[in-house]
């Protein structure tokens, strides 16, 4: 009888030597739901006898970089408490030319381990040497024909296969050791290629898998249905991805087994079109393989950064510890004095990634490039972190506009300028960055000319937290970069800004009017 599986990912864990942190994306609840849903689809308690066991195929859709592998690996570990579970990393095995044997070999190996049996145990010795498979295929194998096409006379080794164990080796008619894994692959491929024997070969494979599953459930307290989780199919070379789907569809309908095929379905559709042509309807094609599709919700960018990015290296404290001077810095308290410093830093980075419409995959790649750039900067260097991130996002998502940035003309024409049109289309004037204006560091003193005498006096502006739109931020910063350093203009702006009264705080307009000055002096 199916049992409820408790899913709790509030702590980190290590699976086969790989560390998986706690679930910051709150996805354990989706694993809980899918467990109950698929268990009911794969095993109907109220039905009679063999009708209890059903089959079901689910497409778990989520874009690359959104945490599918994390989700599947942790989910599989929880499922193993009550169900037979097989995890197949299709991408790591796409060097193989035989997808069916990839899945079958993964199933036998993992099910044997879950049954607590070694290869030298009688129940699995023949299976381990592929003898059981040959036995099941025997009615469909004609020795002379298979030897002609595979080079191996399977009928001649059937008796030897029956008694095979971990210590014995099967041999061919010349008494030479026989590689049974290669023999199994050749046999299956041959039978699948032969029209007359194909149905019998598929039936034999399904029967063998069913027997392996029965062995696991009979030797353990595990219950039907079994779960077969196939990961990373969308990352495989297109021909292999399509061949994997078309091959394993033959075993999708094994009773008592639910298959979960995790993909970035949009990317998988591109792979299908590579094989069958751009005009091919890949969506309908993929729909033939799956009973249902479940899409993991889109990532929150802040959670995505926490899981996939080394936030310390891009934090204000991490940059400072690396000996880098950063302008402007992140706000100390942020809007309405809410959140910690790291929360505000994540909000700023997330705001930029979101504003430029980066997918999870693109966001991770941009952050990896950012960390790499920072790591290679010399101690003592100065940088504008948010300006750099904006440039990287623009190059990633809008390369055609990125190439125009060297031309000053993009800012000309007031509201009709190329920049204003671009910023408006992306709503950059609606997205705010929370920054800190440290006037004591960057404008420690002003200089006035009084004839031949230069008077130095302290800035009358106080350090402050403020917000600025991404549109204005980039406009002033990039304009400053294009215009370069002009000493006369700098002094003129300093004197103009420094007139009038006691020490006071910047407002947004005053701050960004002085942006070129700060960039030049900083």
């Amino acid at each position: 009888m199916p049992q409820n599986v408790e899913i709790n990912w509030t702590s980190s864990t290590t699976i086969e030597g790989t560390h998986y942190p706690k679930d910051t994306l709150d996805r354990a609840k989706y694993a809980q739901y899918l467990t109950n849903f698929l268990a009911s689809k794969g095993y109907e308690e109220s039905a009679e006898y063999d009708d209890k066991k059903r089959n079901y195929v689910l497409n778990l859709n989520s874009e690359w970089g959104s945490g599918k592998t994390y989700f599947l690996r942790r989910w599989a570990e929880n499922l193993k408490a009550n169900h037979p579970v097989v995890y197949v990393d299709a991408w790591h095995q796409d060097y193989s030319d035989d997808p069916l044997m990839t899945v079958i070999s993964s199933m036998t190996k993992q099910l044997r381990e879950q049954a607590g049996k070694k290869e030298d145990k009688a129940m699995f010795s023949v299976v381990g040497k592929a003898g059981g498979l040959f036995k099941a295929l025997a009615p469909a194998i004609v020795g002379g024909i298979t030897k002609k096409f595979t080079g191996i006379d399977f009928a001649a080794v059937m008796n030897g296969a029956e008694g095979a164990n971990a210590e014995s080796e099967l041999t061919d008619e010349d008494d030479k050791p026989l590689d049974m894994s290669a023999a199994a692959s050749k046999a299956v491929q041959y039978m699948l290629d032969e029209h007359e024997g194909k149905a019998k070969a598929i039936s034999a494979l399904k029967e063998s898998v069913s027997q392996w599953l029965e062995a696991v459930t009979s030797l353990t307290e595990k219950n039907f249905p079994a779960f077969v989780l196939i990961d990373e199919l969308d990352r495989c070379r297109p021909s292999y991805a399509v061949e994997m789907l078309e091959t394993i569809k033959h075993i999708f309908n094994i009773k008592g087994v639910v298959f979960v095929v995790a993909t970035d379905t949009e990317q998988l559709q591109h792979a299908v079109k590579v094989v069958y042509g751009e005009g091919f309807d890949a969506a309908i094609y993929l729909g033939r393989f799956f009973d249902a599709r479940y899409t993991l919700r889109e990532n929150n960018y802040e959670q995505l950064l926490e899981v996939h990015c080394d936030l310390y290296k891009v934090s204000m404290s991490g940059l400072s510890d690396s000996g880098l001077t950063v302008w402007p810095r992140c706000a100390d308290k942020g809007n309405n004095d809410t959140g910690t410093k790291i929360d505000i830093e994540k909000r700023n980075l997330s705001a930029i990634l979101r504003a430029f419409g980066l997918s999870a995959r693109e966001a991770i790649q941009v952050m990896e490039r950012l960390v790499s750039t920072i790591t290679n900067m010399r101690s003592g260097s100065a940088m504008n972190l948010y300006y750099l991130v904006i440039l990287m996002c623009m190059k990633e998502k809008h390369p055609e506009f990125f190439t125009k940035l060297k031309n000053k003309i993009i800012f000309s024409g007031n509201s009709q300028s190329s920049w204003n049109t671009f910023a408006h289309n992306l709503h950059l004037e609606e997205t705010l960055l929370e920054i800190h204006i440290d006037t004591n560091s960057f404008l420690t003193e002003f200089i006035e000319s009084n004839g031949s005498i230069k008077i130095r006096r302290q800035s009358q502006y106080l350090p402050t937290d403020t917000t600025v739109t991404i549109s204005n931020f980039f406009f002033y910063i990039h304009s400053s970069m294009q215009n370069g350093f002009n000493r006369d203009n700098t002094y003129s702006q300093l004197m103009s800004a420094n007139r009038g009264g006691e020490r006071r705080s910047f407002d947004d307009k005053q701050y960004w009017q002085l942006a070129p000055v700060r960039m030049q002096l900083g």
Side-chain angles (χ1 to χ4, degrees):
M1 175 179 179
Q3 304 174 19
N4 290 327
V5 177
E6 293 298 326
I7 308 292
N8 186 335
W9 298 346
T10 55
S11 301
S12 62
T13 188
T14 299
I15 302 173
E16 296 183 4
T18 300
H19 176 75
Y20 294 88
K22 67 179 183 179
D23 176 28
T24 59
L25 300 181
D26 194 26
R27 290 200 163 167
K29 61 185 180 184
Y30 302 116
Q32 186 77 65
Y33 167 77
L34 288 175
T35 298
N36 297 332
F37 173 76
L38 292 174
S40 67
K41 291 293 183 181
Y43 192 88
E44 178 56 58
E45 181 65 30
S46 61
E48 295 184 1
Y49 307 111
D50 288 342
D51 290 337
K52 292 178 181 291
K53 291 184 288 187
R54 313 286 177 86
N55 64 280
Y56 200 80
V57 185
L58 179 77
N59 175 209
L60 182 66
N61 174 43
S62 187
E63 65 184 8
W64 187 94
S66 59
K68 291 192 298 296
T69 296
Y70 173 93
F71 183 86
L72 287 184
R73 294 312 300 259
R74 295 214 65 169
W75 187 25
E77 287 303 298
N78 288 120
L79 288 171
K80 286 178 182 178
N82 294 335
H83 299 275
V85 179
V86 174
Y87 173 85
V88 180
D89 186 334
W91 186 50
H92 282 170
Q93 301 188 62
D94 80 342
Y95 58 83
S96 168
D97 291 325
D98 193 343
L100 181 58
M101 288 308 297
T102 294
V103 176
I104 294 297
S105 62
S106 294
M107 292 180 73
T108 57
K109 179 178 182 296
Q110 295 179 44
L111 292 175
R112 182 174 62 247
E113 292 171 352
Q114 291 171 48
K117 295 293 182 179
K118 303 295 185 180
E119 289 187 39
D120 57 353
K121 298 298 181 180
M123 179 177 293
F124 291 96
S125 62
V126 177
V127 173
K129 291 292 185 178
L133 176 58
F134 293 153
K135 194 75 171 180
L137 290 173
I141 292 179
V142 179
I145 296 178
T146 54
K147 182 177 181 180
K148 176 180 178 181
F149 286 97
T150 67
I152 299 172
D153 187 347
F154 294 105
V157 298
M158 291 303 295
N159 291 333
E162 182 67 29
N165 56 43
E167 287 72 34
S168 66
E169 292 290 344
L170 299 178
T171 58
D172 62 16
E173 57 193 24
D174 297 323
D175 204 32
K176 294 181 179 179
L178 190 60
D179 183 349
M180 296 304 291
S181 60
S185 180
K186 287 184 178 182
V188 172
Q189 191 60 54
Y190 169 76
M191 295 309 302
L192 293 180
D193 289 342
E194 285 295 301
H195 177 74
E196 188 172 328
K198 182 176 181 179
K200 292 182 179 179
I202 295 299
S203 177
L205 284 171
K206 289 160 60 175
E207 181 182 349
S208 296
V209 171
S210 296
Q211 291 173 353
W212 294 327
L213 290 172
E214 289 288 354
V216 173
T217 55
S218 65
L219 293 172
T220 68
E221 296 182 357
K222 300 179 189 295
N223 300 281
F224 283 100
F227 287 75
V228 179
L229 312 178
I230 300 178
D231 193 12
E232 303 278 29
L233 190 61
D234 50 299
R235 297 184 69 183
C236 296
R237 50 192 164 90
S239 59
Y240 185 84
V242 171
E243 187 179 355
M244 169 72 85
L245 273 179
E246 292 184 343
T247 302
I248 62 178
K249 73 179 180 182
H250 297 298
I251 58 173
F252 273 168
N253 62 346
I254 299 176
K255 287 188 175 183
V257 180
V258 293
F259 284 83
V260 179
V261 183
T263 66
D264 179 339
T265 304
E266 182 178 350
Q267 292 300 316
L268 187 57
Q269 288 177 3
H270 291 316
V272 171
K273 290 181 178 181
V274 168
V275 175
Y276 289 110
E278 189 59 35
F280 188 76
D281 195 329
I284 293 179
Y285 169 83
L286 291 178
R288 299 171 183 167
F289 296 100
F290 307 121
D291 295 307
R293 176 174 297 161
Y294 185 88
T295 300
L296 293 177
R297 69 174 177 84
E298 293 184 1
N299 282 304
N300 176 294
Y301 280 94
E302 294 174 32
Q303 294 174 327
L304 186 72
L305 291 175
E306 189 171 348
V307 172
H308 292 282
C309 177
D310 188 344
L311 284 175
Y312 174 75
K313 289 185 177 179
V314 298
S315 68
M316 296 297 113
S317 58
L319 294 168
S320 179
D321 290 345
S322 297
L324 301 177
T325 301
V326 186
W327 179 90
R329 298 182 67 82
C330 169
D332 288 326
K333 295 183 179 179
N335 295 330
N336 302 318
D337 295 342
T338 59
T340 64
K341 189 70 172 291
I342 192 65
D343 290 332
I344 303 169
E345 292 171 348
K346 285 190 293 185
R347 279 206 300 266
N348 281 343
L349 292 171
S350 299
I352 298 172
L353 299 172
R354 187 179 299 108
F356 283 91
L358 270 67
S359 66
R361 177 179 186 175
E362 292 166 337
I364 293 170
Q365 290 174 334
V366 164
M367 294 307 298
E368 287 176 346
R369 286 196 290 271
L370 178 65
V371 170
S372 178
T373 300
I374 291 171
T375 301
N376 286 283
M377 292 182 70
R378 291 193 299 269
S379 179
S381 300
M383 69 177 301
N384 186 320
L385 177 68
Y386 300 132
Y387 176 65
L388 180 57
V389 176
I390 290 172
L391 287 175
M392 287 182 168
C393 289
M394 200 180 298
K395 184 175 182 181
E396 175 70 31
K397 200 68 177 180
H398 304 279
E400 72 292 340
F401 190 84
F402 180 84
T403 61
K404 300 178 181 178
L405 293 179
K406 61 183 178 181
N407 300 319
K408 296 182 180 180
I409 195 173
I410 67 169
F411 294 124
S412 64
N414 298 321
S415 62
Q416 301 303 315
S417 70
S418 297
W419 169 251
N420 282 335
T421 300
F422 178 78
H424 176 74
N425 290 338
L426 294 182
H427 306 287
L428 300 184
E429 70 274 18
E430 300 174 12
T431 306
L432 298 175
L433 299 178
E434 304 170 52
I435 59 176
H436 179 75
I437 311 305
D438 188 358
T439 55
N440 289 330
S441 295
F442 286 88
L443 296 173
T444 56
E445 54 185 28
F446 287 86
I447 304 173
E448 286 188 35
S449 295
N450 185 5
S452 60
I453 303 175
K454 295 190 182 298
I455 303 172
R456 297 173 181 267
R457 59 189 177 86
Q458 194 173 27
S459 168
Q460 55 189 312
Y461 291 102
L462 293 170
T464 186
D465 286 347
T466 189
T467 57
V468 60
T469 67
I470 290 180
S471 178
N472 280 344
F473 181 90
F474 187 83
F475 172 80
Y476 286 111
I477 299 300
H478 193 69
S479 296
S480 173
M481 293 295 189
Q482 287 181 317
N483 293 332
F485 181 78
N486 184 307
R487 185 178 297 277
D488 291 338
N489 287 344
T490 300
Y491 285 154
S492 175
Q493 291 183 61
L494 284 172
M495 287 188 291
S496 175
N498 207 26
R499 292 192 186 101
E502 70 280 1
R503 188 167 166 85
R504 51 198 171 88
S505 296
F506 277 107
D507 62 28
D508 189 65
K509 182 178 179 180
Q510 291 168 327
Y511 176 75
W512 293 109
Q513 285 175 341
L514 281 177
V517 177
R518 281 182 294 280
M519 287 303 300
Q520 291 155 7
L521 295 184

